[in-house]
Amino acid sequence: MLRGMGWEEGKPVGRNATGLVSAVEFVPRGGRLGLGATGAPPPTNSRKHIKPGETRDAPSVMVLADGPEGKSRNVRSLDEKLVRKEAP
């Protein structure tokens, strides 16, 4: 359509043929940011606060004891206790 109106490649578009020749790049803004706003910098402290009674150690994993055939189970009865999972 532009070629039919006399436009040639490498020339700007418009009545006076003045303006930008190169394409304008689209740069998306973050959600709910206004014009000219920049996002908040990422947090620098990745350590979380320890509450009283908590530790930084990995929590122990509790599983059911192996069944009579030596297979792992996923259903327990009311009187069975969970045991700590052994390290591989």
Side-chain angles (χ1 to χ4, degrees):
M1 182 169 116
L2 291 174
R3 286 190 185 140
M5 298 175 71
W7 175 78
E8 296 175 6
E9 190 171 344
K11 293 189 177 182
V13 177
R15 183 174 188 177
N16 298 329
T18 59
L20 299 175
V21 177
S22 61
V24 178
E25 181 182 352
F26 172 71
V27 180
R29 288 181 280 136
R32 303 187 60 95
L33 288 179
L35 291 175
T38 58
T44 57
N45 187 4
S46 62
R47 297 186 79 174
K48 297 187 180 193
H49 298 286
I50 298 177
K51 296 177 184 173
E54 292 182 351
T55 62
R56 291 198 189 271
D57 300 332
S60 60
V61 178
M62 303 297 283
V63 295
L64 283 172
D66 290 337
E69 297 90 28
K71 296 181 181 178
S72 62
R73 301 176 303 136
N74 59 359
V75 178
R76 74 175 181 138
S77 63
L78 295 175
D79 59 342
E80 286 183 295
K81 300 283 184 184
L82 296 175
V83 295
R84 292 188 192 277
K85 183 176 181 181
E86 297 176 6

